[in-house]
Amino acid sequence: MTTIQHTRRSLHLSQHAPPLPWRPWRSPAAGVLTLIHAGAAAVLALWWRNTETVAGPDAWLTNGGRITGLLAGYACAVLLALMARVPALDRSVGSDRLARWHAMGGRYTVSLSVAHTLLIIWGYSITAETDVIDQTTALVFAYEDMLIATIGMLLLVVVGIVSARAARRRMSYETWHYVHFLTYLAVFLAFFHQLSNGADFVDAPAARLAWYGLYLGVAGLLLWYRFLTPLRRALRHRLSVAEVHPEAPGVVSVYITGRHLDALAAEPGQFFRWRFLAPGMWWAANPYSLSAPADERHLRITVKAAGGHSAALAGLRPGTRVWAEGPYGAFTRARQGSHKVLLLGGGVGITPLRALFETLPGDMTLLYYARSFQDLALRDELDGIAAARGARLHYVVDERTGPSLPLTAAALSDLVPELTSHDVYVCGPPGMAVAAKAALRDAGVPRHRVHHESFAF
């Protein structure tokens, strides 16, 4: 088995890399949200244009159902677009922020869908002077495309229940991920009844064309970026496992080789969704960050055993084929706006920070929290990088004999002079990340200087 001297090679390459100009990072998130809200306003304008008067309780209920139905249909398209993994959107807004928007939008979508259903049934039952049970039966079985739309709505509710925080804690990432594929089916089943029964589309060819354009555009993004692009890259780069190396108790580095890897344009701080074509692993694609700068021949991830998939990485054999989707994420030097940088990591969250520690320009400090000295992964590499670039490196462990530093504003301010003028990159377990961001906020570090990207689902 060939041993890969990745640390020495990476250091050599980074020392000769041309410096990048300083530039402050500005998130386009506000622009994306403005575009989404503008689309919602256009949907409301469609209802307004096709509504002359609203009189009587049945009309108010029915029009409430129309509004919530239009917004639910629009929200379905937005939800799918947010998770289409469009590189420009992912690298600028950030994968974790898109995931949070998707989760929040999912709750709105399910609520709007349920409200649409109840309001339409209630309004129609008053108009027809029937009870809601008879009206529900008539709507589901007598109206075109309503039966399959009902199935789609029920599937959407199931996905919403599974996505609730209490439910997510009881299932694996892989199970949650594949249940989410029901969203595609739910949206597909519900789509056609909007055009066949929606009062805003039946006699409005322009509106129908716009709705088709919206959904076909989103479908094209999903097909290209979620399916065809990974397939094309797998055939071109032919990734495979080169070596698996233990780094700390329960932590291994997986070296992956392939062809023309520089064409991936992977940046330090980014991650891929990895699918290892080994027995019991091929069906799951999990997100792991690059733990070293990529080059034209090798990629490396460093993973802690925290579940079945991550634990199985230690048993991978050289030559195992790999599919990788990415690179994703905005946790990169594009966010850097200051010459001074603090990298604040905990546990295996050190992996993207290790790559940034080597490559980010400027005055660099790394603060690494771990349970024990044995749990300090990649320590030799970090020591070598710190010595090579003259950076400050601090280890903090829980052991009584080890160095201790509470995650408080006072402790961080004492350790890092002029903390408020630093860009701070935070990566670690959820509890540690929350405590770190609170301490930085209390220390007066501006929010736009604190960069964090979570990979929790």
Side-chain angles (χ1 to χ4, degrees):
M1 180 173 63
T2 302
T3 300
I4 302 173
Q5 298 297 328
H6 194 91
T7 304
R8 182 178 300 172
R9 184 183 66 252
S10 297
L11 284 170
H12 175 76
L13 289 174
S14 65
Q15 288 170 353
H16 291 82
L20 291 183
W22 303 111
R23 60 186 185 277
W25 181 76
R26 295 292 183 266
S27 171
V32 175
L33 286 177
T34 300
L35 183 62
I36 293 173
H37 291 149
V43 169
L44 292 176
L46 176 64
W47 167 81
W48 182 268
R49 180 178 179 274
N50 294 311
T51 304
E52 295 183 358
T53 59
V54 180
D58 56 338
W60 281 102
L61 290 169
T62 301
N63 278 278
R66 285 173 56 197
I67 292 173
T68 52
L70 285 169
L71 290 175
Y74 172 72
C76 284
V78 171
L79 283 183
L80 296 181
L82 288 176
M83 300 311 289
R85 299 175 188 169
V86 179
L89 192 62
D90 191 277
R91 296 188 183 193
S92 57
V93 176
S95 297
D96 61 333
R97 179 174 287 169
L98 291 174
R100 289 196 300 271
W101 289 355
H102 177 81
M104 180 178 64
R107 292 189 287 271
Y108 285 131
T109 303
V110 172
S111 299
L112 288 168
S113 299
V114 173
H116 164 68
T117 302
L118 296 178
L119 289 170
I120 287 294
I121 291 173
W122 194 1
Y124 278 29
S125 67
I126 293 177
T127 301
E129 298 182 351
T130 61
D131 60 71
V132 294
I133 296 177
D134 289 340
Q135 188 60 51
T136 300
T137 303
L139 283 172
V140 171
F141 294 102
Y143 282 70
E144 185 179 359
D145 297 323
M146 280 301 302
L147 179 59
I148 60 173
T150 302
I151 297 172
M153 195 273 287
L154 292 175
L155 288 176
L156 199 62
V157 171
V158 169
V159 174
I161 294 173
V162 169
S163 299
R165 188 171 300 176
R168 291 204 310 264
R169 291 171 180 168
R170 291 176 168 84
M171 66 181 65
S172 67
Y173 170 84
E174 293 80 13
T175 301
W176 171 86
H177 177 75
Y178 281 100
V179 168
H180 249 60
F181 277 112
L182 290 175
T183 305
Y184 297 138
L185 179 59
V187 173
F188 174 78
L189 292 177
F191 172 76
F192 295 100
H193 95 284
Q194 300 174 65
L195 300 178
S196 59
N197 295 308
D200 301 286
F201 297 108
V202 172
D203 296 318
R208 292 171 65 90
L209 183 63
W211 212 247
Y212 269 116
L214 173 66
Y215 272 82
L216 289 176
V218 171
L221 293 176
L222 288 167
L223 179 63
W224 181 256
Y225 290 113
R226 293 294 297 265
F227 300 100
L228 296 181
T229 295
L231 176 60
R232 177 175 57 87
R233 287 182 171 176
L235 296 175
R236 179 184 182 187
H237 300 295
R238 302 188 64 83
L239 300 179
S240 64
V241 174
E243 180 183 350
V244 179
H245 179 72
E247 301 287 359
V251 179
V252 298
S253 285
V254 181
Y255 292 86
I256 296 147
T257 189
R259 303 184 302 182
H260 312 298
L261 300 188
D262 52 332
L264 291 171
E267 299 181 47
Q270 290 190 307
F271 69 96
F272 288 78
R273 287 181 170 86
W274 304 91
R275 188 184 303 273
F276 296 92
L277 305 187
M281 299 182 69
W282 62 268
W283 55 277
N286 283 30
Y288 301 121
S289 297
L290 296 175
S291 61
D295 61 35
E296 64 181 9
R297 289 293 299 165
H298 294 101
L299 304 171
R300 189 185 76 176
I301 57 175
T302 301
V303 182
K304 181 177 182 179
H309 187 275
S310 54
L313 297 183
L316 287 173
R317 296 182 178 181
T320 300
R321 292 295 302 275
V322 183
W323 282 34
E325 299 177 39
Y328 299 121
F331 196 65
T332 66
R333 78 164 87 185
R335 292 191 172 188
Q336 185 180 356
S338 171
H339 183 75
K340 299 179 179 180
V341 179
L342 169 63
L343 305 177
L344 207 166
V348 78
I350 194 63
T351 54
L353 298 183
R354 180 259 178 253
L356 292 171
F357 190 43
E358 180 179 333
T359 57
L360 285 182
D363 184 5
M364 188 69 53
T365 302
L366 173 59
L367 181 56
Y368 182 8
Y369 285 82
R371 293 184 177 180
S372 67
F373 283 108
Q374 290 73 28
D375 291 320
L376 292 169
L378 309 173
R379 184 176 180 182
D380 289 343
E381 296 183 17
L382 296 173
D383 291 338
I385 295 170
R389 65 178 300 167
R392 289 168 294 280
L393 174 58
H394 304 280
Y395 298 113
V396 181
V397 296
D398 291 339
E399 295 178 344
R400 294 182 179 179
T401 57
S404 177
L405 183 75
L407 262 178
T408 63
L412 293 177
S413 297
D414 289 342
L415 182 69
V416 184
E418 301 178 358
L419 177 61
T420 56
S421 64
H422 282 63
D423 272 298
V424 185
Y425 290 75
V426 179
C427 190
M432 175 263 179
V434 170
K437 289 190 287 185
L440 292 166
R441 182 174 59 250
D442 293 342
V445 180
R447 178 175 296 182
H448 71 272
R449 290 192 180 277
V450 179
H451 315 302
H452 172 250
E453 196 163 66
S454 171
F455 307 114
F457 69 95

